[in-house]
């Protein structure tokens, strides 16, 4: 979400520029088998990359000397929930299993006021927020006279949060009586 260069918002009690990004992902892989000799594996991997930016760009105008806006909020919010589950099971005289689950989230979130003409009478808020929950679960069952299993689970979350504010104020100078 943005106010582009050369755009003008003349008046308002509260001006809000907000970018909202939300992801809820559930991924499940299943593998089962049986027999005299049973082997198998399940690999589940999910990678999520998101960007969310809210800005008032250079040369934009919000309010003026004569007509200030009440409050200004520039905010970017990202909320990501990622759940990866791998289920594998085999039964037999010889049973071998392998299961992996990997959840990776990269969230780049930013909020800024560029070199814009901003005249606000009340409060100015510039905020970037990213919340991530990533879970990887591996469930495995190997049953038989001889059995073996391998389990690997991995969870990664990384990102960038950035909030910037450049404030420009005009001061009128005059002669005191």
């Amino acid at each position: 979400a943005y106010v582009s260069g050369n755009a003008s918002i003349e008046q308002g009690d509260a001006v809000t520029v907000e970018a909202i990004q939300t992801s809820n992902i559930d991924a499940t892989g299943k593998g089962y088998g049986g027999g005299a000799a049973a082997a198998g594996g399940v690999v589940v991997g999910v990678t999520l990359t998101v960007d969310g930016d809210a800005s008032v760009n250079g040369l934009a105008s919000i309010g003026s000397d004569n007509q200030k806006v009440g409050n200004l909020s520039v905010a970017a919010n990202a909320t990501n929930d990622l759940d990866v589950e791998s289920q594998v099971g085999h039964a037999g005289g010889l049973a071998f299993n392998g299961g992996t689950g990997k959840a990776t989230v990269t969230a780049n979130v930013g909020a800024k006021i560029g070199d814009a003409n901003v005249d606000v009478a009340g409060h100015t808020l510039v905020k970037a927020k990213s919340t991530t929950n990533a879970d990887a679960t591996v469930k495995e069952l190997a049953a038989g006279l001889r059995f073996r299993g391998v389990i690997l689970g991995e969870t990664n979350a990384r990102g960038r949060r950035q909030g910037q504010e450049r404030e420009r104020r005009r001061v009128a100078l005059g002669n005191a009586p």
Side-chain angles (χ1 to χ4, degrees):
Y2 62 93
V3 177
S4 67
N6 296 319
S8 179
I9 297 175
E10 299 288 325
Q11 56 186 309
D13 289 333
V15 175
T16 300
V17 180
E18 186 173 31
I20 300 172
Q21 179 276 319
T22 303
S23 297
N24 292 304
I25 298 175
D26 292 320
T28 302
K30 298 179 182 182
Y32 304 105
V42 174
V43 176
V44 179
V46 175
T47 300
L48 177 63
T49 302
V50 297
D51 296 306
D53 291 306
S55 64
V56 177
N57 295 335
L59 302 179
S61 175
I62 297 180
S64 67
D65 289 339
N66 298 327
Q67 183 73 41
K68 295 179 179 1
V69 297
N71 297 306
L72 174 63
S73 173
V74 180
N77 294 296
T79 305
N80 296 290
D81 292 310
L82 187 57
D83 187 20
V84 173
E85 187 172 306
S86 188
Q87 300 175 2
V88 60
H90 290 87
L94 297 172
F96 300 96
N97 283 331
T100 66
K102 183 175 181 180
T104 303
V105 178
T106 302
N108 299 306
V109 182
K112 70 177 182 176
I113 296 176
D115 190 19
N117 183 15
V118 176
D119 288 294
V120 177
H123 299 286
T124 299
L125 171 69
V126 179
K127 179 177 87 170
K129 180 180 178 183
S130 177
T131 304
T132 298
N133 296 307
D135 294 310
T137 305
V138 178
K139 297 178 181 177
E140 183 175 312
L141 171 65
L145 298 174
R146 298 199 74 174
F147 56 89
R148 177 143 338 233
V150 177
I151 298 174
L152 299 171
E154 184 177 341
T155 305
N156 296 304
R158 59 184 169 271
R160 169 192 62 83
R161 287 186 317 171
Q162 182 178 5
Q164 297 178 354
E165 177 181 356
R166 292 183 78 182
E167 185 176 336
R168 292 178 58 183
R169 293 184 182 205
R170 294 189 182 148
V171 178
L173 300 176
N175 296 327

